Amino acid sequence: MNDKPETKELQSAVFAKIEAAKLTPRARWYFQSRECLVWFLWLLSVFLGALAVAVSLSAVSYQSHALYEITHDSYWLYVLAVLPYLWLLVFLVMGGLGIYHLRHTRRGYRYPLWLICASSLIFSLAGGAFLHLVGAGFGLDKTLGEKVPMYASQMEYERARWQVPNEGRLIGRMPQPRNEDSASIVWFVDADNNDWQIDISELMLEDQELLNRGQTVRLIGQLVMAEERLFHSCAVMPFVYEHNYTMAELREIRSSILRRLYSKNPKQSEEKELGEDTVCANLPLLKRLKPVY
């Protein structure tokens, strides 16, 4: 059967276009390599998205058990201040790239868009949850904060929130153990490497022991004299961002702090009950906290 004139004209037009564009057949390995590259880019975007989820989950788990009542006027203001916006943006970007690459695989066009979106996001979320459980999110955030000058880790944000002595918050460590049990003033080095005199006369024994370990701690109290750097401490808390804790451990740390602050019969080191006229009894910061027994 002879071809129709219209068919011959179409064939001639196609061949002419191929010759004009100088198109040549490509080997099979080219298309296989391109397919592998697309899958690799999809896996890379999912993995980076999982890292973003892991860091975000780590930040949320730590911040959800922080003493937000001390640093902010309300819980929602605290949430807006501590959300890991950078990592949330990374997750959204990587999720979009994952969807794009999966769509451009050999058979990606056959699947509905919602299924492609769901598969990429689910893989990132599941991978991020696993990485968070093994501590990868915490480790990545801490390492980037130490190695990348432009990156501010959650640890650095927490230090900035607690290095505000005018508002009754101070962070640092006691460089030398306290030798004299009767001494009510000890030396303290803050996060900016400034020397302070800390009045510990109202601290409970547990707080004093924590301070005496020489580890980085957070202090709640009142600035007495700014020029002399004299600070009256009412509570000592560990700085949890230096170690990777589980959510159960973080809850227990927060509860133990609240129990000490609102114990029915808080004691000084001299085993005397705190009076109503003491600095700590009238500290506005402590009145924001709800007791836990």
Side-chain angles (χ1 to χ4, degrees), residues 108-148:
Y109 68 92
R110 298 181 179 180
Y111 304 106
L113 183 60
W114 70 266
L115 182 61
I116 293 177
C117 295
S119 61
S120 296
L121 296 179
I122 288 173
F123 276 111
S124 291
L125 291 171
F130 172 77
L131 292 174
H132 168 62
L133 289 176
V134 299
F138 175 86
L140 176 62
D141 180 65
K142 184 178 180 181
T143 301
L144 288 176
E146 295 171 349
K147 303 296 184 181
V148 181

Side-chain angles (χ1 to χ4, degrees), residues 1-108:
M1 182 182 293
N2 295 329
D3 293 334
K4 294 180 180 181
E6 296 83 357
T7 303
K8 290 184 177 180
E9 291 179 4
L10 178 60
Q11 291 175 345
S12 299
V14 171
F15 286 134
K17 190 172 182 179
I18 291 175
E19 291 178 358
K22 297 181 179 180
L23 300 178
T24 57
R26 295 187 183 275
R28 184 179 181 182
W29 64 264
Y30 170 81
F31 296 99
Q32 291 176 337
S33 300
R34 189 174 67 174
E35 181 76 2
C36 291
L37 177 61
V38 172
W39 277 109
F40 171 76
L41 292 175
W42 178 78
L43 289 172
L44 180 62
S45 60
V46 169
F47 175 70
L48 292 177
L51 287 179
V53 171
V55 175
S56 299
L57 288 176
S58 177
V60 170
S61 63
Y62 272 70
Q63 300 296 351
S64 62
H65 300 103
L67 292 173
Y68 60 86
E69 303 95 330
I70 297 294
T71 57
H72 293 78
D73 293 331
S74 71
Y75 175 75
W76 294 112
L77 288 176
Y78 176 78
V79 169
L80 291 175
V82 302
L83 278 177
Y85 294 102
L86 173 62
W87 289 104
L88 292 176
L89 177 62
V90 170
F91 170 68
L92 292 176
V93 171
M94 290 302 106
L97 289 176
I99 293 168
Y100 172 83
H101 293 310
L102 191 59
R103 189 73 169 177
H104 285 76
T105 56
R106 184 178 179 182
R107 296 180 177 85

Side-chain angles (χ1 to χ4, degrees), residues 132-279:
H132 168 62
L133 289 176
V134 299
F138 175 86
L140 176 62
D141 180 65
K142 184 178 180 181
T143 301
L144 288 176
E146 295 171 349
K147 303 296 184 181
V148 181
M150 299 299 294
Y151 180 82
S153 65
Q154 293 296 315
M155 178 187 294
E156 292 171 311
Y157 281 127
E158 185 72 0
R159 282 176 177 166
R161 280 191 287 271
W162 280 89
Q163 184 63 19
V164 193
N166 291 333
E167 297 181 10
R169 304 191 300 273
L170 196 61
I171 183 171
R173 64 183 183 87
M174 192 166 69
Q176 295 181 348
R178 175 170 168 249
N179 296 321
E180 300 179 11
D181 293 339
S182 60
S184 61
I185 301 293
V186 298
W187 287 101
F188 187 84
V189 180
D190 69 10
D192 295 330
N193 214 29
N194 297 317
D195 292 329
W196 285 81
Q197 299 179 75
I198 306 298
D199 187 337
I200 62 170
S201 59
E202 291 192 60
L203 286 183
M204 299 173 64
L205 291 175
E206 189 174 350
D207 290 314
Q208 294 184 27
E209 291 172 358
L210 180 58
L211 181 63
N212 206 43
R213 294 173 189 171
Q215 301 173 349
T216 302
V217 293
R218 298 168 294 172
L219 305 182
I220 298 176
Q222 180 174 300
L223 179 64
V224 180
M225 289 185 288
E227 294 182 358
E228 288 76 9
R229 291 201 178 97
L230 177 60
F231 189 87
H232 190 106
S233 180
C234 296
V236 180
M237 300 169 293
F239 183 56
V240 296
Y241 279 90
E242 289 188 330
H243 304 284
N244 187 26
Y245 293 95
T246 64
M247 293 187 69
E249 290 172 333
L250 291 170
R251 282 195 297 268
E252 178 55 33
I253 290 173
R254 174 180 166 86
S255 297
S256 66
I257 293 170
L258 293 177
R259 282 195 296 269
R260 293 205 309 273
L261 292 175
Y262 283 93
S263 176
K264 293 182 178 179
N265 294 303
K267 305 284 186 178
Q268 298 186 40
S269 59
E270 293 83 6
E271 300 298 327
K272 295 180 181 179
E273 293 188 6
L274 294 175
E276 295 182 357
D277 58 343
T278 62
V279 173

